[in-house]
C-alpha cells in the first residue's frame, strides 16, 4: 500500500544524499563571480572612456572607487537582508540591479551615468556572496552536515579568484574588439543566464509575515538605523582613504561624526546590524577579517600596481600585461578546490603568509629590464598566496561566524577585503605619484613584506587555529 508521504520522502532523501547538486551550486558560482570580474574588467577601459568622453584619465578612477565603495557598504547589508528577508529574494534582486547597471553603463553618455552604472553593479553584485553563504549554511544544516562543505566553499572561492584574474585580459579583448561599452554590456547576457538558473534551481524562501506587525518586526530585525550609520561611516572612510596622501578633513569629520553615534546605537541594541560586542568576544573571526584584508592588499597590489608598472615602466601593452597575470588566476583556481575539500585552515594560511613574503621579495628584485618569465613567476607565487588565503579564511569564516549571522559576517568578510583592496590602490597612488618607476615598485614590495609578516604572526600565534580540525566532506 502506498502512503501519501512517499512523494515528500524522495526530495528529503535526495537532500541527505546529494545536498549540493550542481543545480543548487551553479547559480551561486555564477553570482559569486560577478563582483570580482566587474572589479577588474574596467581596468582596460579607463583610457578609452576618457578619450571618448573628453575627460582626464585620472577622473575615470571614480569608476573603480565607486564600485568598491558601493560593494564595501552593500556586502554586509545584503547579508543582513538575506538573513531576514530570504537569501533567494536578495540574490535575485541583486542580479536585477547588475542587469540595470549593465544597461545604464552601455548607454551612458557621460562620466556621471557611468558612475551610476558602476554603483548599481557594485550594489547588485554584493548580494551574491553573502546570500550564497546563507544558502549553503542552511542547506548543510538541513542535510545534517557537521563539517563545512569544503567542495562547495572551494567552488565559491574559485568563482571569485578566477573571474578576478581573467577580468583584465577579457576586458582587454572586449575593449579592443568592440569598444569600452562592452565592459558594461557584458553583464546583460551573464545576468540573464544567472537569473534563469536562480529562479529555476534555488530553493524558495520562507513566506514573509504580512501586515503592519510583520513589517515592524522585519524592520526591527534589519536595524535600518545601524545600516544607514554603517553606510555613512564606511563611505566617509573610503573617501578619506582614496584621497590620500592629501588629507580630506571633511571626509574625516563625517567619519567621526557618523561612527560615534553608530557605535553607541549598536552597543545598545540586542540584535545589532554590526555586533561590536560579539566581534570583540569572537577574536578568531576578527583575526580572520584582518588576515583577509592584508592578504588582498598583496593580491591587488600585484593586479593593479604591478600591472601599472608593466605598462608604464616596462613598456608592455595593456593586453600583454593582462595576459602575463592570467597564470596567477589559473594557479589560484587549480589549488583552491583540492585545498577546500580538505577543510584545512592553519596550514593554508601559513603557506599564504610565506608565499606572500616570497612574492614580495620577488617584486623587490624586478626591474624594467626583467624578462617576462620573471614577472610570471612572481605572479604565480601570489597565485598560491591568493588560493591558500581565500580557502583558509573562508573556511575559518564558516566555522567561526554564528550560524544565524553568517550572512552579515560573510558580508563583513568581503568588506574587510575591499578595505585591503582600496588600501593597495592608495599605496600604489602614493608611491607612483611622481611617476611609475622601478624604485616605486620596490617600495611596494617592501610594504607587502610588512603585510606578509603581519599575516604570518596573525596565523602562527593564533591559538584558536592550533589543533583546529574538521571532517572532510
Amino acid at each position: 500500500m502506498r502512503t501519501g508521504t512517499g512523494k515528500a520522502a524522495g526530495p528529503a532523501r535526495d537532500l541527505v544524499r546529494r545536498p549540493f547538486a550542481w543545480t543548487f551550486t551553479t547559480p551561486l558560482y555564477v553570482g559569486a563571480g560577478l563582483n570580482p570580474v566587474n572589479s577588474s574588467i574596467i581596468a582596460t577601459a579607463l583610457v578609452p572612456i576618457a578619450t571618448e568622453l573628453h575627460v582626464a584619465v585620472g577622473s575615470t578612477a571614480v569608476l573603480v572607487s565607486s564600485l568598491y565603495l558601493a560593494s564595501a557598504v552593500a556586502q554586509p547589508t545584503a547579508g543582513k537582508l538575506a538573513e531576514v528577508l530570504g537569501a533567494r529574494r536578495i540574490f535575485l534582486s541583486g542580479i536585477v540591479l547588475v542587469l540595470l547597471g549593465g544597461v545604464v553603463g552601455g548607454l551612458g553618455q557621460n562620466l556621471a551615468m557611468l558612475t551610476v552604472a558602476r554603483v548599481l553593479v557594485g550594489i547588485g553584485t554584493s548580494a551574491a556572496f553573502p546570500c550564497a553563504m546563507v544558502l549553503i549554511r542552511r542547506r548543510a544544516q538541513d542535510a545534517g552536515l557537521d563539517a563545512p562543505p569544503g567542495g562547495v566553499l572551494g567552488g565559491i572561492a574559485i568563482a571569485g579568484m578566477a573571474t578576478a584574474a581573467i577580468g583584465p585580459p577579457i576586458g582587454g579583448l572586449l575593449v579592443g574588439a568592440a569598444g569600452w561599452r562592452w565592459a558594461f554590456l557584458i553583464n546583460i547576457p551573464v545576468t540573464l543566464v544567472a537569473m534563469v538558473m536562480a529562479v529555476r534551481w534555488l530553493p524558495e524562501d520562507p513566506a514573509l509575515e504580512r501586515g503592519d506587525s510583520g513589517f515592524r518586526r522585519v524592520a526591527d530585525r534589519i536595524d535600518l538605523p545601524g545600516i544607514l550609520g554603517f553606510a555613512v561611516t564606511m563611505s566617509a572612510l573610503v573617501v578619506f582613504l582614496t584621497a590620500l596622501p592629501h588629507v580630506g578633513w571633511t571626509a574625516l569629520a563625517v567619519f567621526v561624526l557618523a561612527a560615534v553615534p553608530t557605535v553607541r546605537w549598536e552597543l545598545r541594541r540586542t540584535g545589532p546590524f554590526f555586533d561590536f560586542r560579539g566581534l570583540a568576544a569572537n577574536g578568531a573571526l576578527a583575526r580572520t577579517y584582518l588576515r583577509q584584508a592584508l592578504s588582498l592588499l598583496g593580491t591587488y597590489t600585484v593586479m593593479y600596481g604591478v600591472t601599472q608598472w608593466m605598462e608604464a615602466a616596462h613598456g608592455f601593452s595593456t593586453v600583454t600585461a593582462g595576459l602575463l597575470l592570467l597564470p596567477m588566476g589559473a594557479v589560484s583556481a587549480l589549488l583552491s578546490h583540492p585545498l577546500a575539500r580538505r577543510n584545512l585552515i592553519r596550514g593554508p594560511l601559513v603557506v599564504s603568509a610565506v608565499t606572500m613574503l616570497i612574492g614580495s621579495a620577488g617584486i623587490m628584485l624586478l626591474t624594467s629590464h626583467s624578462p617576462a618569465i620573471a614577472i610570471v613567476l612572481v605572479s604565480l607565487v601570489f597565485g598560491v598566496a591568493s588560493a591558500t588565503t581565500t580557502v583558509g579564511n573562508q573556511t575559518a569564516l564558516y566555522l567561526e561566524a554564528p550560524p544565524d549571522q553568517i550572512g552579515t559576517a560573510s558580508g563583513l568578510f568581503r568588506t574587510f577585503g575591499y578595505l585591503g583592496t582600496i588600501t593597495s590602490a592608495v599605496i600604489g597612488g602614493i608611491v607612483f605619484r611622481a611617476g611609475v618607476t622601478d624604485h616605486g615598485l620596490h617600495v611596494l614590495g617592501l610594504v607587502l613584506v610588512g603585510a606578509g609578516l603581519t599575516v604570518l604572526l596573525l596565523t602562527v600565534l593564533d591559538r584558536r587555529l592550533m589543533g583546529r580540525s574538521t571532517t572532510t566532506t
Side-chain angles (χ1 to χ4, degrees), residues 341-366:
R341 289 186 66 86
R342 300 184 64 187
N343 287 331
L344 300 175
I345 300 177
R346 191 170 189 267
L349 291 177
V350 171
V351 172
S352 169
V354 172
T355 50
M356 185 174 174
L357 286 171
I358 294 173
S360 302
I363 288 177
M364 296 175 67
L365 296 176
L366 292 175

Side-chain angles (χ1 to χ4, degrees), residues 206-286:
L208 296 174
E209 294 183 74
R210 298 187 180 276
D212 292 339
S213 60
F215 176 80
R216 283 195 295 268
R217 275 193 289 269
V218 168
D220 184 65
R221 289 180 61 195
I222 290 175
D223 183 19
L224 185 58
I227 290 176
L228 293 176
F230 175 81
V232 176
T233 302
M234 281 300 304
S235 299
L237 176 61
V238 171
V239 170
F240 175 78
L241 289 175
T242 53
L244 293 174
H246 303 291
V247 179
W249 294 109
T250 301
L252 183 60
V254 172
F255 170 76
V256 173
L257 292 174
V260 172
T262 299
V263 171
R264 292 183 62 184
W265 169 268
E266 297 293 77
L267 289 175
R268 287 200 295 262
R269 283 186 59 85
T270 55
F273 166 69
F274 195 113
D275 191 356
F276 288 98
R277 286 196 175 92
L279 188 59
N282 193 343
L285 184 60

